[in-house]
Amino acid sequence: MLLTLHISKIEPGNYRVVVLDGREELDQWGAPNIGAAIRQCSQAEMPDLSGFHIWYEHVCVGTTTMSNMRIDPEGIAQRLMALHGAVRG
């Protein structure tokens, strides 16, 4: 099973994190940064969960496995920020 992790910046140091299954919201919380949001989400305990489609605002880093989310949340966050910056131009 793949879920969607969507992270939105409210203000510096305050991010809204939403986990979706299709259009259904499963969970929501706040995080201090993108890496922390990914790290928190990587701790999910669902037997059939293999990973997430990870979004920051309007850009997606793609489908990411739970193991990669646990190993390199900061690297994934950096890729999201680079994509976000490139799209904004």
Side-chain angles (χ1 to χ4, degrees):
M1 167 187 353
L2 293 169
L3 298 176
T4 299
L5 170 62
H6 192 271
I7 305 163
S8 302
K9 184 176 183 178
I10 297 171
E11 61 187 10
N14 187 9
Y15 292 77
R16 180 176 181 251
V17 185
V18 179
V19 175
L20 303 161
D21 184 0
R23 294 183 181 177
E24 180 184 354
E25 186 175 309
L26 300 180
D27 202 359
Q28 174 180 279
W29 68 92
N33 58 56
I34 297 169
I38 295 168
R39 187 176 309 103
Q40 290 169 354
C41 201
S42 75
Q43 304 305 314
E45 297 282 337
M46 295 177 72
D48 296 333
L49 183 59
S50 56
F52 287 85
H53 305 291
I54 303 178
W55 289 81
Y56 171 57
E57 300 286 348
H58 56 277
V59 296
C60 182
V61 75
T63 304
T64 308
T65 64
M66 297 295 287
S67 61
N68 284 346
M69 290 170 67
R70 288 184 193 109
I71 293 168
D72 193 21
E74 297 304 326
I76 297 166
Q78 289 174 358
R79 286 196 315 263
L80 282 165
M81 291 299 296
L83 284 169
H84 188 265
V87 170
R88 291 184 70 192

